[in-house]
């Protein structure tokens, strides 16, 4: 549970401390077409493992949260689908909050 909190703190710090010029330079660079597909190898492998595990053992909120994290990583790897990052992150946050509330 502590790694969720620390990941949120690190992500917030990076978001607020990154210079605007660096963000503009990153958004203007183009990825090679094959590079975005190679970035999907690991997330799609994890996603297929999660689907197999859910079908064989049943799902819970931890599985849904993990699915949300992995799907967000897949959306980050594909520039054409960047508009779906925030809905996927919102879905992940709601699943995470539900998982935490369920454990209490």
């Amino acid at each position: 549970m502590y790694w969720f909190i620390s990941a949120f703190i690190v992500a917030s710090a990076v978001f607020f401390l990154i210079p605007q010029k660096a963000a503009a330079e990153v958004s203007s660079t183009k990825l090679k077409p094959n590079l975005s597909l190679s970035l999907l190898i690991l997330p799609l492998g994890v996603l297929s493992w999660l689907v197999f595990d859910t079908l064989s053992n049943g799902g819970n909120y931890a599985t849904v949260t993990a699915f949300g994290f992995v799907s967000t990583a897949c959306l980050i790897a594909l520039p054409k689908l960047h508009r779906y990052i925030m809905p996927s992150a919102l879905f992940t946050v709601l699943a995470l909050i539900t998982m935490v509330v369920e454990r209490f």
Side-chain angles (χ1 to χ4, degrees):
M1 185 65 193
Y2 291 118
W3 70 276
F4 285 123
I5 297 168
S6 58
F8 180 74
I9 291 170
V10 169
S12 299
V14 167
F15 179 74
F16 287 118
L17 297 177
I18 190 169
Q20 294 296 330
K21 182 179 177 185
E25 290 173 5
V26 170
S27 66
S28 67
T29 59
K30 300 289 183 186
L31 291 175
K32 296 178 184 175
N34 296 334
L35 182 62
S36 63
L37 292 177
S38 66
L39 292 174
L40 282 176
I41 293 172
L42 183 61
L44 287 178
V46 172
L47 196 61
S48 62
W49 171 70
L50 281 173
V51 168
F52 177 74
D53 185 52
T54 302
L55 291 175
S56 63
N57 296 329
N60 56 16
Y61 288 111
T63 306
V64 174
T65 305
F67 180 78
F69 278 122
V70 174
S71 63
T72 304
C74 289
L75 292 173
I76 289 171
L78 294 172
K80 291 181 182 178
L81 299 177
H82 278 184
R83 64 177 168 249
Y84 300 114
I85 292 174
M86 288 307 290
S88 177
L90 180 64
F91 171 76
T92 306
V93 166
L94 292 175
L96 181 63
I97 290 171
T98 307
M99 182 182 73
V100 169
V101 169
E102 183 185 49
R103 299 219 180 201
F104 285 123

